Amino acid sequence: MNSLTNQDALHGTVLGQVISVSNSSVIGLFIQANENDTAPKIQVGDLVKIETTDSTIYGMINECSTITQNPPSPDQHQVHFNIDLFGEIARSATGKLRFKRGIASYPSLGQSIKTVSEENFREIYTMPYRKSVKIGTLHQNQNVSVGVDVDDLISKHFAILGSTGSGKSCSLAVLLNAILQRYPHGHVILIDPHNEYKMAFGHHSEYIDVSSIELPYWLLNFHELTKVICQGDASQYQTQSDILLRCVTVAKADHLTSIEATQNITIDSPSPYRMSRVRELICEEMGKLDKQGNTLPYQAILTRIDQLQHDKRFGFMFADFVVRDIFPDILAKILRIPTNGKPITILNLSGTPGEIINIIVSLIARIVFDFAVWSHNETSPPILFVCEEAHRYIPSKDETATLPASHAIARIAQEGRKYGVGLGLVTQRPSDISERILSQCNTLICLRLTTSSDQDFISHALPENCLSIFKALPSLRTRDAIIVGDAVSTPMRIRIDMLEPEHMPRRQSLAASSLWESDTYDSSLITNAVKRWRGNAQ
């Protein structure tokens, strides 16, 4: 075979011919003359095409093998290669040639298998007819930009999955920055449990931590409130919950304005009430009891309320001085309505007490969804809720799946599309996430996954003809990713774009090799840490 000409590069060089056809794959035979032959070499992962009378079919080589000839020939050798078919370029209903997933017309035995040109790559992967944003370049051809469809990505949910150090945080920053640069009036809420993203979006983000926002206790629904206040075994928990239900209901009614009194205010309505009034009502009920043992659940609730109100760490939620209806202000700040040049809210939970983090995530996810529901009859903006470390809030284990955050996020996953709320999940442990929720994510961005349980979990969620590309998961480089789903034209392997240094998420790993080279620390480090520790521990 001769070297490629310009015409060959455009239309493709013949590699071999089809010798077997099945529903989703073909087997090709390639006869190579000798080691000095300048024809293209076949590699696993290469794209090829087969031209039929109705369309051009595209596939990816997933396996190659040399055939032993009998007798052996010194001048040539034969190669079998298996090809997974993934789509074709054919005429659309409008008469235009467009790439479409799936195969409508299959190749015949003996048809030529050809190389794919750069123009073909662009036809398949760049999606010029969809509202997409560039996030990287194609693994097989670095000159071809790869984009994701913004509408399908957000409305149908997405997940970024990868082992620690594979580039999840940077990939998320690249994705969100690309979206917000093209659509600067977006509305994104990012849950940041480790304070990684403060610098990633610069002055375009509204950065919030528990010291800069009020989330008053009366915003909690009854399920969330009981998870914070009620304690003990199942029987004790239920008894305390019943007491709290009666007292909070009365406290809410006592605080209603004349206008609110005509509305259908329920135990779950985000309506202000005084916790001091709840304490009074509990004491009144407890005073009517004549047996000391019967007062124990009342005393447990009062003790827990006192603990929360005197713990500085919970001041953003349980301060009970002046009860003000600041709910509209809280919504405006979190949802970025109006955006005012800051389309993304970063909620930093790194300094939040561990025992209440699940409640806060539940509260934010729930009010985002409920806002969309109650404003659905008006023109309300689409909202994207992104949850880092998602396995902490939507675990697969049955005993923890009833936690408030799991319920709130599941509601977005299942019903968010109807009301314009999208979901993004980021995790290094996909096998520990609720499969019911992850299955709602119609686009998966998979970086390196090294554990077999995670790889098996992902493989179960994929169509059969995508499995071969996912065999590369354990060997991907940092920032390499495999994307599959509705937001891309076809499953693909890409190289995620590099971020500018000033937009890199904060690294969590410490450079021990450099920090241990000299003794640069003194006792003031311990003194200052103990001072802050004691000041915030109670």
Side-chain angles (χ1 to χ4, degrees):
M1 295 185 183
N2 298 323
S3 60
L4 286 171
T5 65
N6 290 336
Q7 193 69 12
D8 288 333
L10 181 62
H11 295 289
T13 301
V14 175
L15 294 173
Q17 62 183 20
V18 176
I19 62 172
S20 176
V21 181
S22 67
N23 287 332
S24 60
S25 64
V26 302
I27 298 176
L29 175 65
F30 173 38
I31 300 177
Q32 192 170 23
N34 53 53
E35 294 183 356
N36 298 321
D37 187 6
T38 57
K41 305 300 180 183
I42 300 173
Q43 295 182 348
V44 171
D46 285 350
L47 264 62
V48 294
K49 65 182 179 181
I50 304 168
E51 295 173 343
T52 70
T53 55
D54 300 320
S55 64
T56 301
I57 301 171
Y58 289 89
M60 179 179 292
I61 297 175
N62 68 56
E63 186 177 349
C64 301
S65 59
T66 301
I67 302 173
T68 302
Q69 295 175 268
N70 189 17
S73 170
D75 299 324
Q76 63 181 25
H77 63 275
Q78 297 180 350
V79 177
H80 270 178
F81 46 102
N82 296 338
I83 303 169
D84 286 335
L85 305 178
F86 60 81
E88 62 185 0
I89 291 181
R91 293 202 180 276
S92 65
T94 60
K96 296 181 179 179
L97 288 172
R98 291 238 174 123
F99 175 81
K100 295 182 286 188
R101 294 186 191 182
I103 308 298
S105 57
Y106 287 87
S108 303
L109 297 180
Q111 283 192 296
S112 297
I113 301 172
K114 298 182 179 181
T115 58
V116 174
S117 69
E118 188 168 305
E119 180 182 346
N120 296 146
F121 277 117
R122 296 187 192 282
E123 289 174 323
I124 298 170
Y125 294 108
T126 57
M127 300 191 301
Y129 48 89
R130 295 168 70 176
K131 294 183 178 179
S132 60
V133 295
K134 177 182 177 294
I135 62 169
T137 54
L138 191 64
H139 170 71
Q140 292 93 337
N141 190 323
Q142 298 293 307
N143 294 324
V144 178
S145 298
V146 171
V148 292
D149 185 293
V150 174
D151 291 334
D152 282 339
L153 185 81
I154 294 175
S155 67
K156 298 181 182 179
H157 314 317
F158 69 90
I160 298 178
L161 315 170
S163 301
T164 300
S166 60
K168 293 187 308 300
S169 300
C170 289
S171 298
L172 178 62
V174 167
L175 177 64
L176 295 183
N177 268 310
I179 292 173
L180 297 178
Q181 284 174 10
R182 179 165 180 179
Y183 303 103
H185 302 293
H187 302 268
V188 180
I189 298 102
L190 170 59
I191 302 296
D192 182 5
H194 300 303
N195 193 19
E196 293 183 78
Y197 294 96
K198 184 175 184 179
M199 304 303 297
F201 305 96
H203 63 277
H204 297 295
S205 65
E206 179 73 19
Y207 179 79
I208 299 174
D209 56 25
V210 293
S211 65
S212 61
I213 190 173
E214 289 182 65
L215 293 173
Y217 57 82
W218 49 261
L219 285 178
L220 301 173
N221 64 20
F222 189 65
H223 183 207
E224 294 160 351
L225 185 65
T226 55
K227 289 294 183 181
V228 176
I229 293 181
C230 300
Q231 297 177 315
D233 59 27
S235 177
Q236 294 169 331
Y237 185 96
Q238 186 59 51
T239 301
Q240 294 173 29
S241 177
D242 292 341
I243 295 169
L244 205 58
L245 175 62
R246 293 193 300 270
C247 295
V248 170
T249 301
V250 175
K252 279 195 174 187
D254 290 348
H255 202 271
L256 294 179
T257 66
S258 58
I259 296 177
E260 291 174 329
T262 64
Q263 299 174 347
N264 185 26
I265 301 297
T266 70
I267 188 65
D268 289 329
S269 299
S271 178
Y273 63 93
R274 292 184 181 278
M275 189 61 74
S276 56
R277 179 56 179 153
V278 174
R279 295 184 86 264
E280 291 174 2
L281 293 166
I282 292 174
C283 290
E284 289 176 10
E285 281 199 16
M286 185 170 60
K288 298 176 183 178
L289 302 176
D290 55 358
K291 292 184 179 180
Q292 181 65 29
N294 294 337
T295 65
L296 291 179
Y298 296 87
Q299 293 171 349
I301 296 175
L302 293 174
T303 300
R304 178 59 174 165
I305 292 175
D306 286 341
Q307 178 188 17
L308 293 170
Q309 290 186 319
H310 289 89
D311 192 329
K312 294 180 181 178
R313 299 173 302 164
F314 294 91
F316 69 96
M317 181 170 284
F318 283 95
D320 188 29
F321 301 108
V322 178
V323 176
R324 299 174 294 116
D325 187 0
I326 57 173
F327 193 29
D329 299 329
I330 294 172
L331 282 175
K333 187 171 186 177
I334 292 176
L335 299 177
R336 307 308 311 145
I337 300 175
T339 56
N340 292 327
K342 296 182 177 182
I344 180 170
T345 297
I346 300 174
L347 185 60
N348 170 31
L349 299 181
S350 61
T352 308
E355 60 194 285
I356 204 172
I357 285 181
N358 192 280
I359 302 299
I360 294 175
V361 174
S362 172
L363 172 60
I364 300 299
R366 181 176 53 78
I367 63 177
V368 166
F369 182 81
D370 285 347
F371 168 80
V373 170
W374 290 107
S375 62
H376 192 57
N377 290 332
E378 302 181 38
T379 304
S380 59
I383 299 167
L384 174 61
F385 180 81
V386 183
C387 191
E388 256 277 17
E389 297 282 317
H391 55 274
R392 296 174 59 179
Y393 313 114
I394 49 173
S396 58
K397 296 179 181 179
D398 292 339
E399 62 268 23
T400 54
T402 58
L403 291 174
S406 181
H407 177 75
I409 295 173
R411 196 177 175 205
I412 293 177
Q414 294 164 3
E415 304 178 49
R417 184 178 180 183
K418 303 174 187 176
Y419 302 101
V421 181
L423 177 66
L425 304 177
V426 184
T427 181
Q428 70 265 32
R429 286 155 49 186
S431 60
D432 288 346
I433 280 187
S434 166
E435 187 171 3
R436 178 172 58 93
I437 295 177
L438 188 58
S439 65
Q440 300 289 332
C441 296
N442 284 21
T443 299
L444 300 180
I445 302 174
C446 300
L447 294 103
R448 183 173 62 251
L449 285 169
T450 54
T451 63
S452 58
S453 60
D454 289 334
Q455 295 168 23
D456 292 342
F457 184 83
I458 295 302
S459 67
H460 294 158
L462 301 174
E464 184 179 351
N465 65 346
C466 296
L467 295 180
S468 61
I469 193 173
F470 274 80
K471 292 179 181 178
L473 281 176
S475 59
L476 293 178
R477 298 176 298 168
T478 299
R479 289 180 35 236
D480 276 6
I482 293 170
I483 308 181
V484 60
D486 290 349
V488 291
S489 58
T490 186
M492 65 183 77
R493 178 174 171 178
I494 74 167
R495 181 74 170 160
I496 301 288
D497 285 341
M498 176 68 79
L499 285 167
E500 296 296 328
E502 63 271 18
H503 291 149
M504 293 283 288
R506 187 171 67 90
R507 294 178 62 89
Q508 297 299 312
S509 57
L510 296 175
S513 58
S514 60
L515 295 174
W516 286 358
E517 286 181 346
S518 58
D519 191 5
T520 57
Y521 305 106
D522 56 36
S523 59
S524 63
L525 176 65
I526 294 178
T527 303
N528 293 334
V530 169
K531 184 177 180 181
R532 290 191 295 269
W533 192 347
R534 286 174 172 166
N536 288 283
Q538 57 184 1

